[in-house]
Amino acid sequence: MRFRKRVKVFPGFHLNLSKSGISSTLGVNGASVNFTKKGSYLNTGIPGTGLYDRKKIGTKQNSNFTDSTENIEHKSNSTQVIVGEIKSAEADKLTSANLIELKETLEEVYKDRIELNQEIIQTKKEIKSAKTIRIVASIFVVGLFVKTFKNKILDKEEYLRDLEHQLENSFINIDVEFDKSFEEKYNGLLNSYNELLTTEVIWDITSSIQQDMKTTRSAASSVVTRKPVKFKFDNIDIIKSTYPAFHFENKNGGDLYIYPAFIIFTTSNNKFALIDIKDLELTFSQQRFLEEEKIPSDTKIIDKTWAKVNKNGSPDKRFKGNYEIPIVSYGKLEIKTSFGLNELYSFSNFEKSGQFSETFLDYKKAL
């Protein structure tokens, strides 16, 4: 007896960006969520009856931008971080109110993909086992018994193709349409992101703590822990989009996937959050850094100091082997929300990271 799992068709996410603001729809006939500049609305109804309901959901939040170039920072030599960790809250606390419906749909897609993968693995095992039994049966017996196993294998192979087809089509499609003015803004952002990807080194700053400069005799007012990461274009496996996401790798939490109107924060255990770009608080600044490791080729040296210094900046002669350290200029980008997103990145090229931050804020302002 063959069993066919019903193919579940997930709704698309149609996103329109125009001078009047964002207008987007998630769902199917009779149940959808509409996002506009005036707010987000849940639309429900019974097709063909005329019965219809529209309910406002979600809130809007503001963002800010500041610049600071005062402090000098230094890399920590500690392998363990105890205090000063820079890390976002758990994924289930980070979703913007107006994107809860989309998140629930994505969770359903994730659940279906997990179940389909498990079923595919089990079916492949059953096919392998049936083929082994058929070989044994063909040696000792003939006729109906062998034919039965052959038919069983054919049925399971057909079922496996059906499951793999369902897995291949289990995703949310994000269809983005821009007005000309928005398209120009987004193309500018794409160009600056492409430039950012040529930055030689990008670090995820996972902790930052203030230090007593008098006690340590250091010119650095704070010490950071950093880990190299990669930025690229990518999509998570449950989304297909006309515009691939900006993928920010994260070493102590979920990765960030930035789409034209929202960000997906996803962890390795398939937990995720959806964050409206309008909810972001971006802060870009120059990071004056005491660099004792190899200086990237696209980094500018802006000053020099000593490993041990006096208050007036001169070398402390009480320390033997006191050596000179270059101070370099990095770009520092802080990404936050009022409800728990907290990430900090450092870029070896100050100019390119500054240009990206500026165009991102310009695009966010347009939204």
Side-chain angles (χ1 to χ4, degrees):
M1 183 170 60
R2 290 183 297 179
F3 170 71
R4 284 287 178 272
K5 187 172 182 178
R6 181 173 64 87
V7 178
K8 187 177 292 184
V9 180
F10 292 99
F13 184 73
H14 305 283
L15 181 65
N16 299 288
L17 292 95
S18 64
K19 292 179 180 178
S20 59
I22 301 175
S23 175
S24 53
T25 303
L26 163 72
V28 294
N29 189 20
S32 64
V33 180
N34 184 242
F35 306 89
T36 73
K37 69 175 183 178
K38 295 181 180 179
S40 303
Y41 297 85
L42 175 63
N43 310 306
T44 55
I46 303 175
T49 65
L51 297 176
Y52 181 78
D53 180 61
R54 182 174 172 86
K55 180 181 179 181
K56 187 172 183 179
I57 58 176
T59 58
K60 297 176 69 176
Q61 307 225 359
N62 297 320
S63 61
N64 55 44
F65 172 72
T66 60
D67 187 25
S68 174
T69 61
E70 294 300 320
N71 296 327
I72 297 177
E73 297 178 275
H74 191 221
K75 180 179 178 294
S76 171
N77 293 320
S78 173
T79 58
Q80 293 184 337
V81 178
I82 300 175
V83 294
E85 187 175 26
I86 300 170
K87 185 178 180 180
S88 296
E90 295 299 319
D92 57 3
K93 300 177 181 178
L94 295 178
T95 295
S96 296
N98 61 330
L99 294 176
I100 291 175
E101 297 292 332
L102 179 57
K103 183 195 175 203
E104 290 175 351
T105 303
L106 289 173
E107 286 176 334
E108 191 176 352
V109 178
Y110 256 130
K111 182 180 177 182
D112 255 40
R113 289 184 68 87
I114 291 170
E115 291 175 356
L116 285 167
N117 272 311
Q118 291 173 343
E119 203 165 347
I120 286 171
I121 292 170
Q122 181 60 33
T123 303
K124 285 181 177 179
K125 288 180 180 179
E126 291 173 0
I127 291 173
K128 184 177 180 180
S129 177
K131 284 181 176 180
T132 302
I133 295 174
R134 187 187 68 175
I135 292 171
V136 174
S138 66
I139 296 174
F140 296 101
V141 294
V142 293
L144 183 63
F145 190 62
V146 175
K147 186 177 180 181
T148 299
F149 271 94
K150 182 178 180 180
N151 291 335
K152 181 179 181 181
I153 292 169
L154 291 174
D155 284 347
K156 286 188 176 295
E157 287 177 337
E158 184 183 351
Y159 181 48
L160 177 62
R161 288 192 294 271
D162 183 46
L163 291 173
E164 289 174 337
H165 175 72
Q166 291 181 53
L167 181 63
E168 186 180 330
N169 289 278
S170 182
F171 61 86
I172 293 290
N173 184 63
I174 299 179
D175 183 23
V176 182
E177 293 184 6
F178 288 104
D179 265 12
K180 186 176 180 180
S181 58
F182 265 93
E183 190 169 19
E184 290 173 354
K185 294 280 188 184
Y186 194 73
N187 284 337
L189 182 58
L190 282 173
N191 291 336
S192 65
Y193 185 66
N194 273 308
E195 279 295 308
L196 186 68
L197 295 183
T198 65
T199 299
E200 187 171 327
V201 187
I202 302 173
W203 295 276
D204 179 13
I205 305 296
T206 58
S207 75
S208 178
I209 56 174
Q210 298 294 312
Q211 70 172 351
D212 188 335
M213 299 168 67
K214 184 177 180 180
T215 302
T216 60
R217 313 303 294 180
S218 172
S221 59
S222 61
V223 178
V224 304
T225 305
R226 62 182 186 179
K227 298 178 181 179
V229 291
K230 297 292 185 182
F231 282 19
K232 59 183 177 179
F233 286 101
D234 202 3
N235 282 321
I236 62 175
D237 58 1
I238 59 172
I239 282 183
K240 291 187 179 181
S241 173
T242 47
Y243 290 89
F246 303 168
H247 179 190
F248 290 14
E249 187 184 2
N250 186 14
K251 287 297 185 181
N252 65 337
D255 284 5
L256 303 179
Y257 291 81
I258 303 176
Y259 288 93
F262 58 85
I263 293 174
I264 295 181
F265 174 94
T266 180
T267 62
S268 58
N269 58 354
N270 290 340
K271 291 185 177 180
F272 60 92
L274 271 70
I275 303 164
D276 193 322
I277 285 181
K278 299 191 299 293
D279 290 338
L280 292 183
E281 300 170 3
L282 266 71
T283 304
F284 178 78
S285 61
Q286 182 190 45
Q287 183 183 35
R288 292 166 55 84
F289 200 86
L290 302 185
E291 187 57 87
E292 294 194 71
E293 297 180 354
K294 180 182 177 181
I295 298 176
S297 61
D298 59 350
T299 298
K300 292 181 179 179
I301 298 174
I302 57 175
D303 205 347
K304 291 184 179 181
T305 187
W306 297 87
K308 300 296 180 180
V309 296
N310 294 313
K311 191 174 182 180
N312 62 3
S314 61
D316 192 329
K317 296 181 180 180
R318 294 176 300 171
F319 293 88
K320 289 186 178 181
N322 196 4
Y323 55 93
E324 203 171 41
I325 305 175
I327 300 175
V328 300
S329 174
Y330 292 148
K332 185 166 68 173
L333 180 62
E334 188 176 29
I335 307 173
K336 286 187 172 185
T337 66
S338 61
F339 42 89
L341 185 70
N342 183 26
E343 302 298 337
L344 182 62
Y345 291 99
S346 179
F347 304 86
S348 61
N349 191 299
F350 172 72
E351 289 77 14
K352 290 179 180 179
S353 54
Q355 181 62 32
F356 171 76
S357 302
E358 184 178 339
T359 54
F360 191 95
L361 285 167
D362 188 42
Y363 176 73
K364 176 178 175 288
K365 184 178 178 181
L367 291 178

